[in-house]
Amino acid sequence: MSKLVRIVLSVAAIFAVAGVASAAEAGAVADASWAKYIGAGLAIGVAALGTGIGQGNAIKGAVEGISRNPSAAGKISTTMIIGLALIESLAIYALVVALILLFVA
């Protein structure tokens, strides 16, 4: 199992146990308002990570393509800019979801 998977599973286990460990009484209902902050933070964090990796791969591919065929630089750059705009829109969608989690839920 890779190191990243082990870290993610460990963090998930800690979050799962934290609610039980911090319970006040046996019959009390725990206030879970903190969960929406964690959910919003994770939503935008994972989206930023994913879009950053996607943009890096897109730029890497464009630079490699231009270095192999410099005469196609115009078409490659145009396609790359459109692709980067679409990738960035995914981060904006994640931001909207995070804001909905914070203020509506």
Side-chain angles (χ1 to χ4, degrees):
M1 197 180 328
S2 73
K3 186 176 182 179
L4 179 64
V5 173
R6 281 186 267 161
I7 291 171
V8 170
L9 290 176
S10 299
V11 170
I14 290 170
F15 282 137
V17 175
V20 176
S22 65
E25 295 178 0
V29 176
D31 181 24
S33 63
W34 56 270
K36 68 180 180 180
Y37 299 113
I38 292 176
L42 284 174
I44 196 65
V46 170
L49 176 72
T51 56
I53 291 170
Q55 287 180 345
N57 286 338
I59 293 172
K60 176 186 148 197
V63 169
E64 286 178 357
I66 292 172
S67 67
R68 291 175 191 226
N69 188 4
S71 63
K75 288 183 178 182
I76 292 173
S77 296
T78 303
T79 305
M80 180 192 68
I81 296 296
I82 293 171
L84 290 176
L86 294 173
I87 292 170
E88 192 64 31
S89 70
L90 294 174
I92 294 170
Y93 293 148
L95 175 65
V96 169
V97 168
L99 292 174
I100 288 171
L101 285 173
L102 284 176
F103 298 114
V104 175

